[in-house]
């Protein structure tokens, strides 16, 4: 049996597992004990979650894309993308969830046949980032989920930034920058005028943007390796939420766009903990929101923040739909997802210590 056959069998069994929750056929091909344990736990949690939701899987389909193949030291390294679609029924309502998972498989020839020796997710909601590019120091901010952007970028964090710097919010500070950003000059140039009138948050525009870009990167924005919070900010901005344009990374909520060779943004735009702290700050300038107690209090265009270990927030999602029980379904980046159940118990990142915060974006700002 060729290594490609083993790869295809692995993907087929992964797809079947979404219907019958049986990890054994997958694990018969894998000799990675750490991954085997994570996959088994995920299968068990998914089954319990579906039982609690009265969810009945109807059909699951996976489309495999081979991203790269490399042979080294007698092993085959294959980077794959699994574009997965689950159709299900919940409380007599039929729905569909989409997800795009990327993994690196190490295939080795042992005992006369090919096996999968190691499985490494290329993107997870708990990814640890690289340090800031050219910063000259390690990233000292637990929960800072983006590192080097995928596209070239010469911007850098200020030396000495700590998390107290990153997440301080001065909602009264407002600076209209002199240069014209390539993306949002109408928002910047009329910033002061906008503070004198209310702006309606357009939740349908948020939903449309999240549906359009859930599995792609809008080229008008910087694309980070861990892109969840930037994606959520883009969705909110698409709904006409005004920026608090301070020009300082540690305050406000803003994205300036291209300026010379740099892309400029606030931490609250692109960092999960920064976004959560800003939404909970009751800002009186630009984007405003309030924390609510339950996911049932959320509407389209609202935000869920996740802390996998009970500490700083590490992930952000945007509400785009509801299931048959009236519970939120979310779109997200990093592990690109569409109409995923809000609690993420089917994620490798989820732990028993996971905590959530729910933010309702103001209808008028």
């Amino acid at each position: 049996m060729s290594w490609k056959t083993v790869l295809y069998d692995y993907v087929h069994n992964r797809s079947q597992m979404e219907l019958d929750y049986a990890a054994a056929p997958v694990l018969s091909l894998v000799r990675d004990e750490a991954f085997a344990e994570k996959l088994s736990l995920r299968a068990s949690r998914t089954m319990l979650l579906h039982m609690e939701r009265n969810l009945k899987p109807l059909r699951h389909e996976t489309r495999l894309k081979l991203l790269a193949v490399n042979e080294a030291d007698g092993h085959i390294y294959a980077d794959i993308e699994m574009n997965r679609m689950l159709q299900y029924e919940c409380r007599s309502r039929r729905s569909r969830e989409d997800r795009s998972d990327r993994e690196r498989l190490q295939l080795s020839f042992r005992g006369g046949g090919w096996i999968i020796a190691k499985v490494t997710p290329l993107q997870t909601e708990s990814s640890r980032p690289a340090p800031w590019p050219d910063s000259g120091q390690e990233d000292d901010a637990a929960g800072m989920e983006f590192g080097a952007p995928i596209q070239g970028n010469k911007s850098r964090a200020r030396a000495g930034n700590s998390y107290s710097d990153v997440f301080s919010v001065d909602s009264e500070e407002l600076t209209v920058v002199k240069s014209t950003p390539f993306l949002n000059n109408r928002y910047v140039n009329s910033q002061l005028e906008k503070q004198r009138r209310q702006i309606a948050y357009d939740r349908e525009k948020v939903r449309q943007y999240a549906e359009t870009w859930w599995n792609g990167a809008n080229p008008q924005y910087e694309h980070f390796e861990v892109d969840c919070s930037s994606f959520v900010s883009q969705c909110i901005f698409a709904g006409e939420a005004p920026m608090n344009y301070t020009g300082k990374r540690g305050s406000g909520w803003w994205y300036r766009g291209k300026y010379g060779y740099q892309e400029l943004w606030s931490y609250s735009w692109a960092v999960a903990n920064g976004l959560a702290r800003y939404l909970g700050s009751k800002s009186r300038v630009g984007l405003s929101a309030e924390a609510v107690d339950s996911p049932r209090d959320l509407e389209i265009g609202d935000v869920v923040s996740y802390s996998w270990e009970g500490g700083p927030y590490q992930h952000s999602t945007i509400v785009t739909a509801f299931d048959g029980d009236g519970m939120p379904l979310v779109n997200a980046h990093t592990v690109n997802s569409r109409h995923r159940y809000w609690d993420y118990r089917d994620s490798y990142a989820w732990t028993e210590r996971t905590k959530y915060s729910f933010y309702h974006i103001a209808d008028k700002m």
Side-chain angles (χ1 to χ4, degrees):
M1 189 163 55
S2 70
W3 68 266
K4 287 187 177 181
T5 301
V6 172
L7 172 60
Y8 295 143
D9 286 348
Y10 169 80
V11 174
H12 170 76
N13 291 338
R14 284 287 300 272
S15 186
Q16 184 63 30
M17 191 183 77
E18 300 300 319
L19 298 176
D20 59 20
Y21 317 111
V26 180
L27 300 182
S28 68
L29 303 170
V30 177
R31 299 296 183 269
D32 184 337
E33 293 184 3
F35 175 76
E37 180 179 3
K38 289 182 179 180
L39 188 69
S40 297
L41 286 173
R42 181 187 175 278
S44 298
R45 285 203 306 265
T46 301
M47 180 177 66
L48 291 174
L49 174 62
H50 287 182
M51 291 174 63
E52 291 175 14
R53 295 177 61 195
N54 291 300
L55 182 150
K56 178 183 178 182
L58 301 175
R59 177 170 170 260
H60 190 274
E61 177 181 298
T62 301
R63 293 186 178 182
L64 171 65
K65 184 177 181 180
L66 197 57
L67 302 175
V69 177
N70 183 41
E71 184 173 357
D73 301 325
H75 306 291
I76 300 291
Y77 296 89
D79 289 359
I80 65 172
E81 179 178 272
M82 294 178 288
N83 293 300
R84 301 158 51 192
M85 180 277 295
L86 173 67
Q87 291 182 338
Y88 62 90
E89 184 176 272
C90 178
R91 305 288 186 184
S92 301
R93 178 189 295 181
R94 293 199 172 191
S95 300
R96 168 176 168 167
E97 174 186 314
D98 294 274
R99 196 179 312 179
S100 180
D101 289 316
R102 291 188 174 191
E103 295 178 347
R104 174 168 296 156
L105 307 184
Q106 177 188 322
L107 297 107
S108 304
F109 193 81
R110 296 180 186 171
W114 288 95
I115 55 94
I116 299 173
K118 189 173 181 59
V119 181
T120 305
L122 295 177
Q123 296 173 313
T124 72
E125 294 89 3
S126 59
S127 295
R128 180 63 182 169
W132 276 94
D134 302 320
S135 65
Q137 57 181 312
E138 294 297 318
D139 175 14
D140 60 356
M144 177 85 77
E145 86 277 10
F146 65 88
I150 291 177
Q151 302 296 329
N153 181 342
K154 295 185 179 180
S155 63
R156 51 185 269 175
R158 293 174 299 169
N161 265 349
S162 67
Y163 254 79
S164 60
D165 298 324
V166 170
F167 299 123
S168 61
V169 177
D170 183 356
S171 61
E172 292 301 315
E173 187 174 18
L174 180 65
T175 301
V176 180
V177 296
K178 295 180 181 179
S179 58
T180 303
F182 82 110
L183 175 66
N184 56 312
N185 59 295
R186 69 187 179 94
Y187 285 85
V188 178
N189 295 338
S190 61
Q191 185 75 38
L192 292 176
E193 177 187 349
K194 286 195 169 199
Q195 304 313 313
R196 295 192 288 267
R197 61 186 177 86
Q198 283 194 323
I199 299 171
Y201 187 48
D202 194 327
R203 298 180 185 277
E204 178 57 25
K205 286 185 178 179
V206 176
R207 189 195 66 79
Q208 290 175 358
Y209 187 93
E211 295 288 271
T212 299
W213 294 106
W214 77 268
N215 198 26
N218 185 338
Q220 292 187 95
Y221 291 96
E222 192 72 68
H223 184 210
F224 300 99
E225 292 177 11
V226 182
D227 197 48
C228 60
S229 299
S230 176
F231 172 68
V232 168
S233 289
Q234 292 171 37
C235 294
I236 296 171
F237 184 58
E240 304 291 339
M243 294 185 185
N244 179 359
Y245 220 109
T246 69
K248 296 183 178 181
R249 281 198 187 268
S251 65
W253 175 77
W254 56 274
Y255 183 96
R256 182 173 178 176
K258 196 172 186 63
Y259 179 68
Y261 293 100
Q262 295 183 326
E263 295 281 346
L264 303 176
W265 56 84
S266 65
Y267 291 119
S268 57
W269 180 276
V271 180
N273 205 40
L275 179 60
R277 290 285 295 273
Y278 187 80
L279 293 177
S281 71
K282 298 184 179 179
S283 171
R284 286 166 286 175
V285 177
L287 171 64
S288 59
E290 66 173 339
V292 295
D293 295 330
S294 167
R296 291 190 179 274
D297 297 326
L298 299 176
E299 300 180 31
I300 300 295
D302 288 343
V303 175
V304 183
S305 294
Y306 304 75
S307 166
W308 307 122
E309 299 293 339
Y313 292 96
Q314 298 157 291
H315 188 53
S316 310
T317 66
I318 191 97
V319 177
T320 54
F322 297 90
D323 68 6
D325 199 30
M327 298 300 286
L329 305 176
V330 298
N331 285 24
H333 268 196
T334 304
V335 175
N336 294 349
S337 304
R338 175 182 178 271
H339 294 186
R340 188 170 178 175
Y341 193 65
W342 70 270
D343 75 0
Y344 265 65
R345 275 188 284 169
D346 60 355
S347 169
Y348 294 123
W350 191 90
T351 73
E352 296 290 343
R353 295 179 295 279
T354 295
K355 71 175 183 180
Y356 310 93
S357 286
F358 311 107
Y359 297 104
H360 174 65
I361 307 298
D363 293 320
K364 299 282 187 178
M365 289 173 267

